[in-house]
Amino acid sequence: MSIEKTLADVIVAVDHVGIAVADLDAALDLYTSTLGFTCEHRETNAEQLIDEAMLSVAGSDVRIQLIAPTSPESAIARFLDKRGPGLQQIAYRVTDIDEACAAARAAGLELLYASPRRGTLDSRINFIHPRSAGGVLVELVEPAR
């Protein structure tokens, strides 16, 4: 007999805040040179059609993800076309992405993907659609082990 978990059982922290940008290099310069953040990691996610950088805010556990499209077909390109650069999503770290997805579905929330996908640094991710989450795109992130 399995006991179903709620999202509150599997969300352990805010993982990061995602910001959509048109030019990753220019945004990195602003956030590192002007604001003093540190770039922890940069990669291209071919599946998501994005270039991304994960930044840390000195002296804290706060992380900012800068996300730029690599193709006009990417969700980030569509976001930029509709809304322009800016806050794109909030990501919550979860202990188990499969349990988190099951809990979200059980709560009646709409997920963007039928099954988790690869995220930054080989994490596993899924998103809760904004129409199910008060207008906010919510990312669920299980960091790579």
Side-chain angles (χ1 to χ4, degrees), residues 7 9-15 91-101 124-126 139-143 145:
L7 279 172
D9 294 323
V10 295
I11 292 176
V12 294
V14 172
D15 190 78
Y92 297 109
R93 189 174 313 129
V94 299
T95 53
D96 183 304
I97 191 69
D98 297 310
E99 287 181 341
C101 291
R124 295 178 66 221
I125 64 169
N126 206 336
E139 182 178 9
L140 302 171
V141 179
E142 178 188 336
R145 302 204 190 273

Side-chain angles (χ1 to χ4, degrees), residues 46-94:
E47 180 182 341
Q48 301 284 327
L49 302 174
I50 59 170
D51 281 333
E52 58 183 304
M54 195 66 74
L55 310 172
S56 60
V57 180
S60 76
D61 293 332
V62 175
R63 295 186 316 156
I64 304 294
Q65 179 187 38
L66 301 176
I67 315 160
T70 59
S71 163
E73 308 301 314
S74 76
I76 294 300
R78 291 190 303 274
F79 178 93
L80 289 168
D81 287 345
K82 277 181 151 176
R83 295 177 187 89
L87 185 63
Q88 190 261 342
Q89 41 105 338
I90 185 162
Y92 297 109
R93 189 174 313 129
V94 299

